[in-house]
Amino acid sequence: MPENRQELVLGLAHKFWRRMAMSMVMSLLRKLLLIGLIGIFFFCGAGTLCLSSQQPGQSPRLMKVGEKISVEDFRGAAGEAVRIEPGKPTVLWFCISITMPESFESALPMLDSLAERRGDKVNVYPIFGGCSKVFIDEKIAMYHYTRPVLTTNKYLNYTYGYPAVLIFDKEGVLRYRGEIELTDRILDTLR
């Protein structure tokens, strides 16, 4: 009898681990499929649909450090055209709908603090690239962001990696593209 019990326990353990392994494999396959679909949409869909001057399948021309910003690319949250005020440095934090929640959680309070500390000496805007008004309103409410936000469909002209910070000097010339954590140091060099 004990041998049968041992065989039964081993059989049940084997079934359990086989089901666990199959479940993990299926979960991994679902994640890989999702990543693949996002990649196909982003690189074959959103990146080419929103840029009428580009041929399908062609990447837009990326703005280079040292080039001047094109202010007509931006809209406010209500859809109105926004002109970025010249004469002072400008910080733009670019994000898209697949930006990780942790990025919003850290960046929006950081941008709020930066705008408060620097006052009217610096323009500070989060830019929601290709995002719906519902998505933008949800993120603003979720992270209690109270300052103006901008949107654009030409986000791939500014950066290919998201999220990213772009810093322009007071003449509107791009001086930095990279991580938000270096924003204060870069701004200090633009005086």
Side-chain angles (χ1 to χ4, degrees):
M1 186 85 158
E3 286 180 22
N4 289 339
R5 187 174 289 171
Q6 186 176 10
E7 286 177 20
L8 179 64
V9 169
L10 287 174
L12 288 174
H14 179 72
K15 280 183 182 179
F16 171 78
W17 286 112
R18 189 171 56 203
R19 284 185 182 165
M20 286 294 290
M22 188 58 109
S23 174
M24 289 174 21
V25 167
M26 293 304 293
S27 175
L28 179 62
L29 287 174
R30 279 193 298 271
K31 288 176 185 173
L32 289 173
L33 178 63
L34 179 62
I35 290 169
L37 289 174
I38 289 170
I40 288 169
F41 168 77
F42 184 70
F43 292 111
C44 299
T48 57
L49 291 176
C50 64
L51 302 164
S52 59
S53 64
Q54 299 297 319
Q55 295 297 321
Q58 195 179 43
S59 294
R61 185 184 167 288
L62 183 65
M63 177 183 234
K64 294 180 178 145
V65 172
E67 290 182 349
K68 199 164 187 165
I69 191 169
S70 175
V71 294
E72 65 275 359
D73 287 346
F74 303 108
R75 300 228 166 258
E80 74 283 7
V82 173
R83 180 169 173 77
I84 294 177
E85 193 178 321
K88 55 187 172 180
T90 298
V91 175
L92 303 178
W93 180 72
F94 281 84
C95 61
I96 56 177
S97 61
I98 60 172
T99 299
M100 298 298 288
E102 297 82 16
S103 297
F104 288 105
E105 194 174 307
S106 63
L108 291 176
M110 206 178 290
L111 292 170
D112 205 19
S113 171
L114 176 69
E116 191 173 307
R117 283 184 284 112
R118 301 274 178 160
D120 63 353
K121 295 179 179 149
V122 176
N123 294 314
V124 178
Y125 297 105
I127 308 273
F128 288 79
C131 298
S132 70
K133 181 164 177 19
V134 171
F135 179 84
I136 295 169
D137 290 345
E138 177 186 298
K139 293 301 178 191
I140 290 169
M142 186 181 299
Y143 299 108
H144 311 290
Y145 191 78
T146 58
R147 299 182 188 279
V149 300
L150 302 178
T151 186
T152 183
N153 282 335
K154 296 184 179 179
Y155 52 95
L156 290 174
N157 291 354
Y158 295 95
T159 183
Y160 293 154
Y162 301 92
V165 165
L166 277 68
I167 300 177
F168 298 86
D169 65 17
K170 62 184 178 180
E171 285 82 35
V173 176
L174 178 59
R175 297 298 177 195
Y176 173 78
R177 178 187 297 114
E179 301 294 323
I180 193 169
E181 291 77 14
L182 298 176
T183 303
D184 273 316
R185 272 196 263 169
I186 302 297
L187 286 172
D188 288 340
T189 66
L190 296 180
R191 293 181 189 226

